[in-house]
Amino acid sequence: MLIALLFILAYLLGSIPSGLIVGKAAKGIDIREHGSGNLGATNAFRILGVKAGSIVIAADILKGTLAAFLPIILHIGVHPLLAGVAAVVGHMFPVFAKFKGGKAVATSGGILLCYQPLLFVTMIAVFFLFLYITKYVSLSSILTGLYTTIYSLFTKDIFLVAVVVVLTAFVVYRHRTNIKRIINKTEPKIKWMSGKN
C-alpha cells in the first residue's frame, strides 16, 4: 500500500505543470497556445524569455530530484530511480494539464542529479556542447540521452543502465516530430549561441 502511494505521489509531483504555472504567473498566458504548444522548458524559453524559462527548467529538474528522494525521505524500500521514472511519466502525461506535458528531458536529468550527481554535471556540459555544434535543442537532448546511456554502462550499475535506457527511449519518442522536422530541415535552430537575437 505504501509503495503504491509512493508511486502515486511521485507521479503527481511530476504532473505539476511548471511551464503552465510560470506562464500564467509571469505573462498571463497559456504556453500551450503558443510556439510548439509544449509545456516543456524549450517552449517556455522561446515564449516566456530567459528568466521565466530558467525557472521552468529548474522546477522541472527539481521534480525529478524530489521524486527520486521520496523513498529515502519516506523510508520506503523502493529504488530511487523507479520513483523518479514515475515523476517523468507524470511530466510527460500530467493529470493536472490534460495529460499533455513535456518531453522528459529536464525531469529525467533531475532523477540523475539525485542518484548520480557527477553524471548530471557531465550531461549538462555535453548538452551545451551538442547545442553549440548543432544549434538544435531537440537533437542535443537526444544525443545527450545517448551519451548518458554510454556513461551508465561504465558504472556497472545494471539498474542505472536499465533506467537510463528507458529514459532515453522516452526522450527519443517524445521528440519524434522534431526528428522528422530535422530530416526535412524545418526544425528551428537556436540563435543565441551565434550572437543573433
Side-chain angles (χ1 to χ4, degrees):
M1 185 65 169
L2 286 177
I3 292 176
L5 288 174
L6 170 70
F7 282 117
I8 291 171
L9 182 58
Y11 168 80
L12 293 175
L13 185 61
S15 287
I16 298 172
S18 310
L20 182 61
I21 294 169
V22 174
K24 292 281 189 180
K27 303 280 186 177
I29 62 172
D30 183 339
I31 67 169
R32 294 173 298 181
E33 299 173 355
H34 302 272
S36 67
N38 190 268
L39 274 179
T42 301
N43 198 40
F45 271 103
R46 287 175 177 156
I47 303 304
L48 305 175
V50 174
K51 185 177 180 180
S54 297
I55 294 171
V56 172
I57 196 168
D60 285 348
I61 289 171
L62 189 59
K63 291 191 299 187
T65 304
L66 289 177
F69 270 118
L70 281 178
I72 301 167
I73 295 170
L74 301 176
H75 303 288
I76 297 175
V78 170
H79 198 290
L81 290 175
L82 289 180
V85 170
V88 172
V89 173
H91 177 71
M92 293 188 297
F93 307 105
V95 67
F96 303 126
K98 299 180 180 179
F99 302 100
K100 294 180 180 180
K103 296 189 175 180
V105 178
T107 306
S108 294
I111 300 170
L112 298 175
L113 174 59
C114 166
Y115 189 73
Q116 274 273 358
L118 179 59
L119 173 54
F120 175 80
V121 171
T122 63
M123 279 173 55
I124 298 299
V126 167
F127 172 81
F128 279 106
L129 175 62
F130 283 133
L131 189 60
Y132 180 79
I133 294 169
T134 70
K135 304 297 188 295
Y136 289 120
V137 175
S138 53
L139 181 57
S140 299
S141 298
I142 292 168
L143 292 174
T144 300
L146 296 177
Y147 158 78
T148 306
T149 301
I150 294 169
Y151 181 108
S152 67
L153 292 173
F154 289 95
T155 67
K156 298 181 181 179
D157 182 337
I158 300 302
F159 214 97
L160 175 63
V161 174
V163 169
V164 165
V165 168
V166 169
L167 294 176
T168 299
F170 284 163
V171 170
V172 173
Y173 176 76
R174 296 291 286 178
H175 284 90
R176 61 196 185 280
T177 56
N178 302 85
I179 294 170
K180 291 179 182 177
R181 288 197 295 267
I182 290 171
I183 293 170
N184 295 330
K185 297 183 179 180
T186 56
E187 175 79 347
K189 293 184 176 183
I190 64 160
K191 298 179 180 180
W192 58 268
M193 283 191 165
S194 62
K196 298 177 183 179
N197 294 323

